[in-house]
Amino acid sequence: MDPNGDSSSIPTETQKRSFAPSTVSAYLDPHYWDERFSDEEHYEWLKDYSHFSHLIQPHLQPNYSVLEIGCGNSQLSEELYQGGITEITCIDLSAIAVEKMQKRLLSKGYKEIKVLEADMLDLPFSNECFDVVIEKGTMDVLFVDSGDPWNPQPETVNKAMATLQGVHRVLKPDGVFISISFGQPHFRRPLFEAPDFTWSFEWSTFGDGFHYFFYLLKKGRRTSNGGGPSQRIEMPSISLFQDELESEDYIFRTNIDEM
């Protein structure tokens, strides 16, 4: 949206469709994201803040330091700031996304929010420095070309574990990791409950008919019965992760259906 509230700058559905790649493997290419962010002003993966604010707010305090991983052109940090959180750091791998986000936040007067170019696989922060770490759809990108979701390729697992190890490291001893995802619990549990981590594992869903997953991991709260076997969880209106991501929240799927 234009900083002055001009809704004419909001991409139309047709404009949004043009950003969807021809194959999901493009999501793994940094050049794709640079090109996309050069033209796209705003897109919210997995719904905007209003859809899951009731789940996230109980775990935030005004004095908390918050890290958002893979901010892209999302407005999540702005929503958190408006809710009273001022110590926010956002990172993204795309220098273009970072530059545009910095300009957008400054134009709105949100000078306290830091936006940095950084890789989630190698977080450039000291140990135990954030109260809350949030990612929304960023880790999902790692799984777009991972093969069998029950047995992902080793490279995918290694990248996911590197991300989680970094998050666990930068969280304060009683910190919270929030992961908002297309990925279903029986696919995410083996990663989140790996022996490397001390956090507890909880999840909720949001969305009407079509479910998104809200994972809550509290550092230092792991119980003795953690790490149990993964089981299939039957839920209505859920498609496999790759089909979800290919749709770009329905839009990309619609394009394919129309071909």
Side-chain angles (χ1 to χ4, degrees), residues 78-96:
E78 299 172 39
E79 299 282 0
L80 295 175
Y81 186 89
Q82 292 167 8
I85 309 297
T86 57
E87 191 176 342
I88 302 172
T89 302
C90 306
I91 66 167
D92 201 278
L93 189 61
S94 169
I96 292 175

Side-chain angles (χ1 to χ4, degrees), residues 49-255:
Y49 182 64
S50 66
H51 291 83
F52 56 85
S53 60
H54 63 291
L55 296 173
I56 201 171
Q57 286 174 355
H59 309 288
L60 297 174
Q61 297 291 336
N63 63 334
Y64 276 6
S65 58
V66 176
L67 171 64
E68 180 189 1
I69 296 177
C71 60
N73 53 26
S74 168
Q75 294 178 348
L76 176 58
S77 63
E78 299 172 39
E79 299 282 0
L80 295 175
Y81 186 89
Q82 292 167 8
I85 309 297
T86 57
E87 191 176 342
I88 302 172
T89 302
C90 306
I91 66 167
D92 201 278
L93 189 61
S94 169
I96 292 175
V98 168
E99 181 181 3
K100 292 183 72 173
M101 176 72 83
Q102 289 172 336
K103 291 180 178 178
R104 189 176 82 193
L105 293 173
L106 285 174
S107 73
K108 296 183 176 183
Y110 302 154
K111 298 179 181 179
E112 293 92 339
I113 301 177
K114 301 183 183 73
V115 189
L116 308 174
E117 182 182 352
D119 188 344
M120 68 180 180
L121 303 182
D122 187 19
L123 295 176
F125 306 107
S126 60
N127 295 347
E128 300 181 351
C129 59
F130 292 102
D131 295 287
V132 178
V133 177
I134 303 172
E135 72 89 16
K136 183 162 75 84
T138 306
M139 281 189 61
D140 284 354
V141 173
L142 299 177
F143 293 87
V144 297
D145 197 22
S146 63
D148 179 4
W150 289 96
N151 187 28
Q153 296 175 4
E155 182 181 3
T156 299
V157 174
N158 290 340
K159 289 181 178 180
M161 286 299 294
T163 300
L164 294 174
Q165 287 164 350
V167 169
H168 193 272
R169 178 182 63 80
V170 303
L171 276 175
K172 293 181 180 180
D174 57 350
V176 174
F177 175 40
I178 294 170
S179 175
I180 301 170
S181 174
F182 283 128
Q184 298 177 52
H186 41 264
F187 298 142
R188 292 295 181 264
R189 184 187 295 272
L191 297 170
F192 289 148
E193 292 193 335
D196 308 54
F197 311 126
T198 67
W199 48 39
S200 59
F201 173 79
E202 305 170 43
W203 59 275
S204 306
T205 62
F206 64 93
D208 297 326
F210 184 87
H211 289 84
Y212 302 90
F213 295 93
F214 182 96
Y215 294 104
L216 181 68
L217 298 103
K218 300 178 181 178
K219 190 174 179 179
R221 305 284 188 86
R222 184 163 185 162
T223 57
S224 58
N225 62 354
S230 299
Q231 297 179 348
R232 289 187 182 272
I233 300 174
E234 299 297 333
M235 302 189 69
S237 304
I238 299 289
S239 301
L240 289 178
F241 160 74
Q242 186 160 326
D243 182 49
E244 305 291 355
L245 191 51
E246 285 177 346
S247 70
E248 289 229 349
D249 285 37
Y250 304 116
I251 295 172
F252 192 33
R253 179 192 295 168
T254 302
N255 283 355

